[in-house]
Short mmCIF file of all heavy atoms in Angstrom, two decimals:
data_model
loop_
_atom_site.label_atom_id
_atom_site.label_comp_id
_atom_site.label_asym_id
_atom_site.label_seq_id
_atom_site.Cartn_x
_atom_site.Cartn_y
_atom_site.Cartn_z
N SER A 249 118.79 129.60 127.65
CA SER A 249 119.44 130.60 128.67
C SER A 249 120.88 130.33 128.66
O SER A 249 121.70 131.33 128.60
CB SER A 249 118.79 130.38 129.98
OG SER A 249 117.50 131.05 129.92
N TYR A 252 122.53 131.78 125.70
CA TYR A 252 122.56 133.24 125.63
C TYR A 252 123.71 133.82 126.55
O TYR A 252 124.59 134.65 126.37
CB TYR A 252 121.29 133.89 126.19
CG TYR A 252 120.03 133.75 125.22
CD1 TYR A 252 118.89 133.54 125.63
CD2 TYR A 252 120.36 133.98 123.88
CE1 TYR A 252 117.77 133.42 124.71
CE2 TYR A 252 119.31 133.98 123.04
CZ TYR A 252 117.87 133.50 123.41
OH TYR A 252 116.94 133.43 122.55
N LYS A 256 127.08 135.91 125.96
CA LYS A 256 127.45 137.23 126.75
C LYS A 256 128.93 137.24 127.18
O LYS A 256 129.58 138.16 127.23
CB LYS A 256 126.44 137.53 127.93
CG LYS A 256 124.99 137.92 127.30
CD LYS A 256 123.93 137.73 128.38
CE LYS A 256 122.54 138.05 127.81
NZ LYS A 256 121.45 137.85 128.71
N LEU A 298 123.63 140.71 135.99
CA LEU A 298 122.47 140.28 135.11
C LEU A 298 121.96 138.99 135.62
O LEU A 298 122.80 138.01 135.65
CB LEU A 298 123.12 140.28 133.67
CG LEU A 298 122.08 139.79 132.53
CD1 LEU A 298 122.32 140.52 131.32
CD2 LEU A 298 121.96 138.45 132.39
N VAL A 299 120.83 138.92 135.93
CA VAL A 299 120.08 137.63 136.30
C VAL A 299 119.40 137.16 135.04
O VAL A 299 118.48 137.83 134.71
CB VAL A 299 119.22 137.71 137.55
CG1 VAL A 299 118.61 136.29 137.83
CG2 VAL A 299 120.05 138.09 138.73
N GLN A 300 119.85 135.98 134.37
CA GLN A 300 119.18 135.48 133.24
C GLN A 300 117.78 135.19 133.50
O GLN A 300 117.48 134.40 134.56
CB GLN A 300 120.01 134.47 132.63
CG GLN A 300 119.54 133.81 131.20
CD GLN A 300 119.74 134.95 130.06
OE1 GLN A 300 120.61 135.95 130.26
NE2 GLN A 300 119.01 134.92 129.15
N LEU A 301 116.88 135.63 132.65
CA LEU A 301 115.37 135.26 132.80
C LEU A 301 115.14 134.25 131.65
O LEU A 301 115.79 134.29 130.63
CB LEU A 301 114.55 136.56 132.68
CG LEU A 301 114.88 137.65 133.65
CD1 LEU A 301 113.96 138.81 133.35
CD2 LEU A 301 114.67 137.24 135.05
N PRO A 302 114.12 133.37 131.75
CA PRO A 302 113.18 133.30 132.90
C PRO A 302 113.89 132.60 134.00
O PRO A 302 114.82 131.76 133.93
CB PRO A 302 112.06 132.48 132.22
CG PRO A 302 112.75 131.63 131.13
CD PRO A 302 113.86 132.47 130.57
N ASP A 323 120.93 145.57 132.62
CA ASP A 323 119.77 145.13 131.92
C ASP A 323 118.69 146.17 131.76
O ASP A 323 117.84 146.16 130.78
CB ASP A 323 118.88 143.91 132.57
CG ASP A 323 119.17 142.56 131.90
OD1 ASP A 323 119.37 142.42 130.79
OD2 ASP A 323 119.18 141.57 132.73
N PHE A 325 116.17 146.81 133.76
CA PHE A 325 114.94 146.14 134.11
C PHE A 325 114.41 146.69 135.43
O PHE A 325 113.26 146.58 135.73
CB PHE A 325 115.01 144.61 134.30
CG PHE A 325 115.18 143.95 132.96
CD1 PHE A 325 115.52 142.59 132.89
CD2 PHE A 325 115.08 144.68 131.74
CE1 PHE A 325 115.73 141.86 131.67
CE2 PHE A 325 115.26 143.92 130.53
CZ PHE A 325 115.65 142.57 130.54
N CYS A 343 118.64 146.56 127.02
CA CYS A 343 119.51 146.25 125.81
C CYS A 343 118.93 146.07 124.38
O CYS A 343 119.44 146.60 123.43
CB CYS A 343 120.31 145.10 126.17
SG CYS A 343 121.25 145.35 127.65
N THR A 344 117.84 145.28 124.28
CA THR A 344 117.25 145.01 123.04
C THR A 344 116.63 146.22 122.46
O THR A 344 116.97 146.69 121.31
CB THR A 344 116.29 143.79 123.08
OG1 THR A 344 116.92 142.60 123.44
CG2 THR A 344 115.66 143.52 121.66
N ILE A 372 110.44 143.28 128.52
CA ILE A 372 111.77 143.22 128.06
C ILE A 372 111.98 143.98 126.83
O ILE A 372 112.95 144.75 126.39
CB ILE A 372 112.29 141.81 128.00
CG1 ILE A 372 112.42 141.15 129.40
CG2 ILE A 372 113.71 141.68 127.32
CD1 ILE A 372 113.02 139.76 129.36
N THR A 469 121.88 143.41 120.96
CA THR A 469 121.35 143.24 122.37
C THR A 469 122.62 143.08 123.28
O THR A 469 122.84 143.83 124.21
CB THR A 469 120.45 141.98 122.53
OG1 THR A 469 119.16 142.43 121.81
CG2 THR A 469 120.09 141.79 123.95
N1 GUN B 765 116.14 136.58 128.93
C1 GUN B 765 115.96 136.93 127.58
N2 GUN B 765 116.45 138.10 127.19
C2 GUN B 765 116.84 138.54 128.29
C3 GUN B 765 117.76 139.75 128.71
O1 GUN B 765 117.83 140.70 127.89
N3 GUN B 765 118.14 139.94 129.85
C4 GUN B 765 117.92 138.84 130.85
N4 GUN B 765 118.39 139.12 132.11
N5 GUN B 765 117.31 137.89 130.55
C5 GUN B 765 116.79 137.68 129.33
#
Side-chain angles (χ1 to χ4, degrees):
S249 291
Y252 289 141
K256 288 166 186 175
L298 181 148
V299 177
Q300 186 66 26
L301 304 178
D323 256 330
F325 291 168
C343 301
T344 300
I372 294 183
T469 296

